Amino acid sequence: MSNTDEQGGGPAVAGSLAHRVPDLGALELLLAVARLGSLGGAARELGITQPAASSRIRSMERQLGVALVDRSPRGSRLTDAGALVTDWARRIVEAAEAFDVGAQALRDRRDSRLRVAASMTIAEYLLPGWLLALRAQRPDTAVSLHAGNSTVVAERLLSDEADLGFVEGLTVPTGLDSVVIAHDRLIVVTAPGHAWGRRRRPVAADELASTPLILREKGSGTRQVLDAALGGLARPLIELSSTTAVKAAAVSGAGPAVLSELAVGEELAMRRLVRVPVDGVALARDLRAVWPTGHRPTGPARDLLSLTRG
Amino acid sequence: MSNTDEQGGGPAVAGSLAHRVPDLGALELLLAVARLGSLGGAARELGITQPAASSRIRSMERQLGVALVDRSPRGSRLTDAGALVTDWARRIVEAAEAFDVGAQALRDRRDSRLRVAASMTIAEYLLPGWLLALRAQRPDTAVSLHAGNSTVVAERLLSDEADLGFVEGLTVPTGLDSVVIAHDRLIVVTAPGHAWGRRRRPVAADELASTPLILREKGSGTRQVLDAALGGLARPLIELSSTTAVKAAAVSGAGPAVLSELAVGEELAMRRLVRVPVDGVALARDLRAVWPTGHRPTGPARDLLSLTRG
DNA sequence: TGGCGACATAAGCTGGGTTTATGAGCAACA
DNA sequence: TGTTGCTCATAAACCCAGCTTATGTCGCCA
């Protein structure tokens, strides 16, 4: 139910975000200025001319209504406000980097050096970070990515359409060897304003089972784990068909939600959601790297694998 | 030392991010299409015409080399790849929203309805989230933000230049009442590849004190807390003057770093950094809301305060 | 079979960002 | 005290991405 989305997170002021937030190029430029302490230097690094950089920073300052850099004939330093803005900008740029590597992997459909198949959650939340690290280490490895459920991942590996797979199920498909690379956990979250938001005493299993929760639909991976942990008793307040919709509903304060901790890192950090302590419920599940039995990963696949096991 | 930055996170491929990642307007449009299931509907919502939306989505698909939406005369649905891309896009847009509310608060220098003064760390990592929540609840409260250390925050409150303050020190400035709103903690982090990266046995205080660490400079808030916790013994591998520089050095694998957990949420989620368990070291510090003694927050200040205490 | 909704195509316009060219301030150094 | 070299600012001309308006095509439904 994504109208929750509109109610809570939609544009509150006329003129969409894009009109109030500088574009990526400008943000990158700002980061470069912060790092190098010079407009001209930043311009050089980004392959544009100094006047272009100067004008772009200026128009960004006009747009935000705040002076960002102190210009002097000896260079440019960030103002206090500029430092703050730069750090917020950095988060946008980092998200864009993750987007970039993900999209790049998605593009190179076939015949890439390293072909990865991964479950949705892993592809969505973890792979971009890993690929970023891989690219730092092996800049010219082209990676391709295919996302699907455990069955699809297994098929692609066994038909030699993928070199390495990642699954999050409770079981490992037959014909595949695997190694646990991380432990995901379902956690209970709620909006800070909600009654459970300030709760310190852990919620017990029976209390969780008897409370209406915002959940993924029956049959989804996370729902399976939760039902198993509670003994099939989870009681839905509402059932939604995507992680995002669940998050949106939770943020809007509709009630407590159960989600992978991978999915809510950002919301927890930003305090749009808070974690509710839970006791006596086994909500952990393993994330595994998988490959065809016998075919131990080599080359770039081995590198990626070792990155994930850090 | 920010050249670490360049080595690890700099542009690996020619043509900066901005050329490979669609701009914010396009990403917002994509999210709207995903939500509404229609190009024309999304166009209407963003206040542009249908052909503009159509062309923009198309050019985004060209740019990424991936089909994002299945068009039909009955509407448009995301492809599998489109769903993945949309979720990555959402993270960029969310970061942009945080940027936006922060910048807006920074702009409205004076005479705003709610004037907030906050320490850097809080202003940087927590306030945007709070302001986002506040805006959802009270859309037309104009907020202004001033960032500075505890002393500055106290001054502004006492001279009636701010209605509500946030500090992270170990002590509360005199003349102010306060309430603890959250518990920050310094944590030890390292790149996944580092020796401590896969460590499960906690690091003890003496081992931490005898290991060279990537640290903020002496005198910084985090350094003070660390030195106090270790008894002034922290041994720097290198001292850097910003949280960002410390993170960059840690991500590049230079060694273990000590940072506020607020600062590394993203990196932990993306697995660019991993947390090292530590035992027997008191690295917690309180984050407090503060106001002039007697002047209990009222109106919007009270609302913001209650949001933060979720 | 006409009407409606949704998407595609075409042509023309506009503006933000770019370049080149040039000016001006400050510092270090002979 | 000039001279050199770094910085940033300004001005004018250009270019292209994205917008709008106008129109065409396809499929569904009454």
Side-chain angles (χ1 to χ4, degrees):
Chain A
M1 203 141 290
S2 30
N3 40 6
T4 343
D5 221 322
E6 194 177 8
Q7 169 202 334
V13 188
S16 52
L17 263 193
H19 298 144
R20 293 185 314 241
V21 177
D23 62 71
L24 275 172
L27 299 179
E28 275 190 286
L29 177 62
L30 179 62
L31 296 189
V33 171
R35 178 146 38 84
L36 302 173
S38 147
L39 287 186
R44 242 170 284 128
E45 182 175 277
L46 299 192
I48 61 177
T49 60
Q50 172 267 319
S54 179
S55 127
R56 213 159 178 191
I57 294 282
R58 181 170 297 288
S59 75
M60 182 161 36
E61 287 177 317
R62 251 208 330 276
Q63 181 180 21
L64 299 179
V66 176
L68 298 175
V69 305
D70 265 339
R71 296 122 159 109
S72 88
R74 306 211 38 182
S76 296
R77 294 201 62 70
L78 294 178
T79 61
D80 287 353
L84 216 41
V85 167
T86 301
D87 277 308
W88 295 329
R90 185 172 289 110
R91 308 196 131 210
I92 302 182
V93 170
E94 283 170 359
E97 282 171 356
F99 181 107
D100 181 39
V101 295
Q104 234 167 316
L106 220 44
R107 165 174 43 244
D108 301 338
R109 275 255 162 276
R110 202 49 68 103
D111 61 86
S112 292
R113 285 274 309 283
L114 173 57
R115 300 159 305 165
V116 176
S119 72
M120 267 296 178
T121 306
I122 294 175
E124 195 176 327
Y125 294 104
L126 294 177
L127 258 180
W130 294 337
L131 297 184
L132 224 40
L134 183 66
R135 193 173 73 179
Q137 180 171 318
R138 297 223 165 186
D140 28 57
T141 299
V143 180
S144 77
L145 165 64
H146 190 95
N149 60 29
S150 301
T151 319
V152 173
V153 170
E155 277 167 10
R156 292 187 81 87
L157 285 169
L158 294 172
S159 63
D160 192 32
E161 289 174 297
D163 306 309
L164 187 61
F166 295 96
V167 298
E168 60 197 82
L170 294 166
T171 65
V172 180
T174 54
L176 301 182
D177 280 354
S178 77
V179 61
V180 175
I181 53 168
H183 302 273
D184 185 26
R185 208 176 341 178
L186 299 188
I187 64 178
V188 180
V189 295
T190 185
H194 187 273
W196 279 11
R198 56 190 67 180
R199 178 158 177 162
R200 298 210 152 263
R201 201 166 14 89
V203 174
D206 54 350
E207 188 176 359
L208 188 62
S210 65
T211 304
L213 302 169
I214 304 169
L215 298 173
R216 285 291 302 277
E217 80 284 3
K218 237 178 161 76
S220 68
T222 60
R223 184 66 179 278
Q224 283 178 344
V225 172
L226 177 63
D227 283 345
L230 293 179
L233 292 173
R235 191 173 143 192
L237 169 65
I238 183 177
E239 291 184 336
L240 299 169
S241 59
S242 83
T243 303
T244 309
V246 173
K247 281 201 283 190
V251 168
S252 81
V258 178
L259 283 166
S260 159
E261 65 180 349
L262 290 175
V264 292
E266 176 91 12
E267 282 75 12
L268 293 177
M270 285 313 228
R271 300 224 130 219
R272 285 207 287 275
L273 290 175
V274 297
R275 181 171 181 165
V276 179
V278 171
D279 195 37
V281 190
L283 293 175
R285 60 176 172 176
D286 293 335
L287 305 183
R288 292 167 177 276
V290 292
W291 57 89
T293 304
H295 277 244
R296 286 203 80 80
T298 59
R302 217 180 83 90
D303 294 339
L304 177 56
L305 183 54
S306 71
L307 277 175
T308 65
R309 301 177 61 186
Chain B
M1 202 142 287
S2 31
N3 41 5
T4 346
D5 221 321
E6 196 176 8
Q7 168 201 335
V13 188
S16 54
L17 263 191
H19 299 143
R20 293 186 313 244
V21 177
D23 61 72
L24 275 172
L27 299 179
E28 276 189 287
L29 176 62
L30 179 63
L31 295 189
V33 171
R35 178 148 37 86
L36 302 173
S38 146
L39 287 186
R44 241 168 287 129
E45 182 174 276
L46 298 192
I48 61 178
T49 61
Q50 172 268 319
S54 178
S55 126
R56 208 154 183 196
I57 293 282
R58 181 170 298 287
S59 77
M60 181 161 39
E61 288 178 316
R62 250 208 328 277
Q63 181 180 21
L64 299 179
V66 175
L68 298 175
V69 307
D70 265 339
R71 296 124 159 106
S72 85
R74 309 209 35 183
S76 296
R77 293 202 64 69
L78 293 179
T79 61
D80 288 353
L84 216 42
V85 167
T86 300
D87 277 310
W88 295 329
R90 186 171 288 109
R91 310 194 130 211
I92 301 182
V93 171
E94 283 171 358
E97 282 171 355
F99 181 108
D100 180 39
V101 293
Q104 235 168 313
L106 218 45
R107 166 174 41 245
D108 301 338
R109 274 255 163 274
R110 202 50 69 102
D111 61 85
S112 292
R113 286 274 308 283
L114 173 56
R115 301 159 304 166
V116 175
S119 72
M120 267 295 178
T121 306
I122 293 174
E124 194 176 328
Y125 295 104
L126 295 178
L127 258 180
W130 294 337
L131 296 184
L132 222 40
L134 183 66
R135 193 174 72 180
Q137 180 170 316
R138 296 223 165 185
D140 28 56
T141 298
V143 181
S144 78
L145 164 64
H146 190 96
N149 60 31
S150 302
T151 319
V152 173
V153 171
E155 277 168 11
R156 292 187 80 88
L157 285 169
L158 294 173
S159 63
D160 191 34
E161 290 174 298
D163 305 309
L164 187 61
F166 295 96
V167 297
E168 60 197 83
L170 293 166
T171 65
V172 179
T174 53
L176 302 182
D177 280 354
S178 77
V179 60
V180 173
I181 52 167
H183 302 273
D184 186 26
R185 207 175 342 177
L186 300 188
I187 63 178
V188 180
V189 296
T190 183
H194 187 272
W196 279 10
R198 56 189 67 180
R199 178 157 178 163
R200 296 210 153 264
R201 201 169 12 89
V203 175
D206 56 349
E207 188 176 1
L208 188 61
S210 65
T211 304
L213 302 168
I214 306 169
L215 299 172
R216 286 291 301 277
E217 80 283 4
K218 238 179 160 76
S220 68
T222 61
R223 184 66 177 277
Q224 283 177 345
V225 172
L226 177 64
D227 284 345
L230 294 179
L233 292 172
R235 193 174 142 191
L237 168 64
I238 183 178
E239 291 183 335
L240 299 169
S241 58
S242 83
T243 302
T244 310
V246 172
K247 281 201 284 190
V251 168
S252 82
V258 178
L259 283 167
S260 159
E261 65 180 349
L262 290 175
V264 292
E266 176 90 14
E267 281 75 13
L268 292 178
M270 285 312 229
R271 299 224 131 220
R272 286 208 287 276
L273 290 174
V274 296
R275 181 171 183 165
V276 179
V278 171
D279 195 38
V281 189
L283 293 175
R285 59 175 173 176
D286 294 335
L287 305 184
R288 291 166 177 276
V290 293
W291 56 89
T293 303
H295 276 244
R296 288 203 78 81
T298 60
R302 217 181 82 92
D303 295 338
L304 177 57
L305 183 54
S306 72
L307 278 174
T308 65
R309 301 178 63 185

